[in-house]
Amino acid sequence: MKSIKSFLLVLVLMLGTASAAQAQFRFGIKAGVAINSIKFSDVKESFNSDNQAGFLGGVTAQFTVPVIGVGADLSALYVRRNAKFMSETGLEKANRDYIEIPLNLRWNIGLPGVGKVVAPFITTGPSVAFLCSKSAYKDFTNKKADWAWNFGLGLQLFNKVQIGASYGLGLSKALKFAGQGQYVGDPVPGKNRYWTVTAAYLF
């Protein structure tokens, strides 16, 4: 997690600099679709899940340094991540609810002449999701916090609407097998892998 802490420190310093430079601050609402799968360790790859669609929604805030278009965005989202996968006992369903907080470094790419109508952007940064589901899944235990790293891109339209897509690479164990059979005593960690497609409206 040292790389994540270093990244967060850089963001804090950047936001402090941005504030001094009269950075633009905006907030809004965000909603979208989360397409999730679970990747287990290579030796247990038969457990791997198929992609399943869920949903997300919440609020977002953005800081942007004028002229250069560099800044950051921070969101608080309610996320439903669905997955189906095979275990030793058959088909398992893992429908998990999270409160997710992604923090991204952001670059708005200005296009001469049309920047106020359409402007592409790219993002990357860490995300932490806290499990809020009360349900348990047969033969599996769920982790309370899930760290990931996101890579995204999108378009801003009319300086108000943002359409984006991102890929989340799970860094920590989201769940692990804890049932009976040949894997008892072995760690069988599963990490989230997910695509998200979102729409945001900024005030």
Side-chain angles (χ1 to χ4, degrees):
M1 296 298 177
K2 289 184 179 180
S3 60
I4 292 177
K5 291 179 179 178
S6 299
F7 182 83
L8 293 176
L9 178 60
V10 170
L11 276 181
V12 169
L13 293 174
M14 184 198 70
L15 291 178
T17 303
S19 233
Q22 295 183 340
Q24 182 184 30
F25 172 77
R26 307 173 71 190
F27 68 94
I29 55 176
K30 180 183 288 188
V33 176
I35 302 172
N36 189 76
S37 64
I38 300 174
K39 173 68 174 178
F40 288 88
S41 59
D42 291 339
V43 294
K44 316 297 190 304
E45 60 183 6
S46 61
F47 279 21
N48 290 345
S49 73
D50 295 328
N51 290 330
Q52 297 289 317
F55 60 86
L56 61 89
V59 295
T60 187
Q62 297 179 7
F63 295 86
T64 306
V65 180
V67 182
I68 62 175
V70 175
D73 63 60
L74 176 67
S75 301
L77 306 169
Y78 182 89
V79 183
R80 163 66 62 88
R81 290 181 183 158
N82 297 331
K84 292 182 180 180
F85 53 92
M86 291 300 299
S87 73
E88 288 189 320
T89 57
L91 184 66
E92 298 281 354
K93 296 181 180 180
N95 302 326
R96 292 159 297 149
D97 297 328
Y98 291 88
I99 299 298
E100 182 176 10
I101 304 175
L103 175 61
N104 292 310
L105 179 65
R106 181 187 183 90
W107 180 32
N108 296 325
I109 305 171
L111 299 178
V114 297
K116 292 185 178 180
V117 178
V118 57
F121 61 85
I122 57 176
T123 62
T124 187
S127 175
V128 60
F130 300 99
L131 185 70
C132 55
S133 297
K134 293 184 178 180
S135 57
Y137 309 105
K138 184 179 179 182
D139 296 330
F140 284 83
T141 57
N142 298 283
K143 298 297 183 179
K144 297 297 184 182
D146 180 30
W147 285 91
W149 195 276
N150 297 322
F151 305 87
L153 52 82
L155 289 174
Q156 179 170 276
L157 306 174
F158 304 104
N159 207 34
K160 288 287 187 181
V161 177
Q162 295 182 353
I163 307 298
S166 65
Y167 179 73
L169 182 66
L171 301 177
S172 60
K173 302 171 184 178
L175 51 75
K176 66 177 181 179
F177 183 73
Q180 303 298 315
Q182 61 177 314
Y183 299 135
V184 171
D186 291 341
V188 189
K191 297 181 178 180
N192 282 316
R193 299 286 190 270
Y194 53 88
W195 289 93
T196 57
V197 179
T198 60
Y201 184 83
L202 301 177
F203 300 101

